[in-house]
Amino acid sequence: MLGVRTGFRVSELLSLRVADVVHGGEVAKFVGVQRRNMKGHIEGRTVPLHDEARAALAVWVVELDARGAAAESPLFLSREGGAVSRTQAWAILTAAYRAAGVFGRIGTHGMRKTFAARVYERLDHDLIRTQKAMGHRSLSSTAAYLSFAESEVDAAIIGA
């Protein structure tokens, strides 16, 4: 839920600590990833948390608290107590997709692509504002995330 609602890459999600999402005993309204954990290490990114993400995090934080996780513990804690690796994250997400009946070429980046498609739709197909939401430096990077149905393009051409 956090990946779909923030658009963070899996490595960015895995860099989060409990203290990054819990402030004053409550799930924060914004979450940020530090520059050192971002692709390219150029700048960090902070995004508001959707209510669904906040609710899911609230449940997860209770679980982490029951497991004795400290503020500096990884947000995505493995059974052994360390951070979940990228490989483990891929396996967990793949199993969840399969359990939900979702098949095909889906991996960890699917969360980011879903985020891009939702934001693009909510912004009335504004590529520049979607670029800002994604944290991209170029429009071509943002456009690559958005899959356009060939039938929609054909219909637009015929209707023009």
Side-chain angles (χ1 to χ4, degrees), residues 90-104 106:
W90 178 85
I92 292 165
L93 287 168
T94 300
Y97 296 145
R98 301 289 183 256
V102 179
F103 297 93
I106 299 175

Side-chain angles (χ1 to χ4, degrees), residues 55-137:
L57 278 172
V59 171
W60 181 238
V61 167
V62 169
E63 173 67 24
L64 289 173
D65 191 46
R67 291 171 64 182
E72 289 307 311
S73 295
L75 181 62
F76 297 104
L77 200 59
S78 71
R79 288 185 190 121
E80 293 78 31
V84 170
S85 71
R86 288 175 51 91
T87 303
Q88 289 171 310
W90 178 85
I92 292 165
L93 287 168
T94 300
Y97 296 145
R98 301 289 183 256
V102 179
F103 297 93
R105 290 189 59 213
I106 299 175
T108 58
H109 223 54
M111 297 180 294
R112 188 161 162 79
K113 289 180 179 183
T114 299
F115 173 81
R118 285 180 174 177
V119 168
Y120 184 67
E121 186 69 32
R122 294 284 309 224
L123 292 174
D124 294 323
H125 303 114
D126 184 323
L127 194 57
I128 293 172
R129 291 190 298 163
T130 303
Q131 173 191 11
K132 173 77 172 149
M134 296 294 294
H136 285 150
R137 294 183 84 73

